[in-house]
Amino acid sequence: MIVIETARLNIRKYTDEDTAALSAVLSDPLTMAFWPAPFTSRQTEEWIERNIQSYLTQGFGRWAVELKETGRLIGDAGIMKSELNGRVENDLGYIIHSDYWRQGYAYEAAKSILSYAVQELGESNVRRSCSLTDSSVGGAAFCCSRYSKKDNYAEYTKKGWPLATRKKTESWIILIQ
C-alpha cells in the first residue's frame, strides 16, 4: 500500500516479502557507514516486523522507498516514536542505498514525509537525527528550520535498536513545519 507518492518515489508500507530487497540496502557497508554496522538478514527481518507493528499501534513507521519508474526498493524512510532524554519524540529518518546518493531522493522522501506527518497525522514536532558528516545532511537541512546540539544521539535509548550505539552523529536537526 502506497502511503506517499512523490514525483519519483513511492513510499509504502513494508510487507514480509520486502526482506531480500531491504537486506540488500541495509547490509551494504557504505550505505550503513553512519550506523554501528550493516544489518544482518535477521536484523532486517526484525526491522520490518517492528515497523509493521508500528503501523498497527502508531499509524505510521518507517516505509519502503521505491523508484516509481522501476519499482526498485532503494531505501527506507519514515517516522518512529523514539525516546530521547526521557522524552518521546517523532524521529524522522531515512536510509537510501549508496548507489542512489546525491540524486535528491533522501530530500524528496524527507520533505514529503514531513508534510505527511503535519498534514495527515497532525504531528507538529518532528525530529530528524543526522550526522554533520552524513553526505545526505545537505538535503535534510534544506527542509529544516533550525538546528540543535543540545541532544546527544548517543543518549538514544530505544532498546534493541542498532542505532542505540551510533557514535558518528554530532547533532540533531529539528524539523518544524
Side-chain angles (χ1 to χ4, degrees):
M1 175 186 158
I2 295 174
V3 177
I4 301 168
E5 186 176 347
T6 71
R8 301 179 299 163
L9 303 172
N10 285 328
I11 301 170
R12 64 166 178 80
K13 291 181 178 180
Y14 282 117
T15 68
D16 292 329
E17 291 78 40
D18 290 318
T19 302
L22 185 60
S23 188
V25 174
L26 301 181
S27 67
D28 178 67
L30 182 56
T31 300
M32 299 301 284
F34 299 98
W35 288 67
F39 280 26
T40 64
S41 293
R42 182 66 195 136
Q43 286 173 312
T44 301
E45 291 170 7
E46 290 169 353
W47 183 261
I48 290 172
E49 290 168 13
R50 186 168 38 248
N51 283 291
I52 290 172
Q53 271 306 319
S54 182
Y55 307 153
L56 299 172
T57 60
Q58 303 293 325
F60 56 87
R62 297 283 289 254
W63 299 299
V65 177
E66 295 178 326
L67 293 177
K68 189 184 284 188
E69 188 174 303
T70 64
R72 181 181 179 95
L73 192 149
I74 64 164
D76 166 271
I79 300 170
M80 294 292 292
K81 293 272 185 196
S82 303
E83 185 177 326
L84 177 70
N85 296 333
R87 296 184 315 259
V88 176
E89 304 284 355
N90 295 313
D91 184 19
L92 170 61
Y94 56 81
I95 302 169
I96 301 296
H97 193 283
S98 61
D99 289 349
Y100 299 92
W101 287 357
R102 304 252 183 233
Q103 297 176 50
Y105 294 120
Y107 169 74
E108 190 171 328
K111 183 177 178 184
S112 66
I113 290 167
L114 176 60
S115 179
Y116 178 84
V118 172
Q119 295 174 5
E120 301 297 322
L121 301 175
E123 300 291 345
S124 60
N125 188 9
V126 178
R127 301 183 79 121
R128 157 65 174 111
S129 57
C130 70
S131 167
L132 293 177
T133 58
D134 183 343
S135 64
S136 65
V137 74
F142 186 70
C143 70
C144 300
S145 62
R146 66 185 172 101
Y147 293 86
S148 173
K149 289 188 178 182
K150 68 180 182 173
D151 293 321
N152 184 335
Y153 199 76
E155 295 177 42
Y156 199 115
T157 59
K158 183 72 176 171
K159 293 180 181 176
W161 286 35
L163 44 80
T165 57
R166 188 172 175 185
K167 295 177 182 165
K168 294 182 181 179
T169 301
E170 299 169 18
S171 83
W172 282 83
I173 293 178
I174 300 174
L175 303 173
I176 301 174
Q177 183 87 358

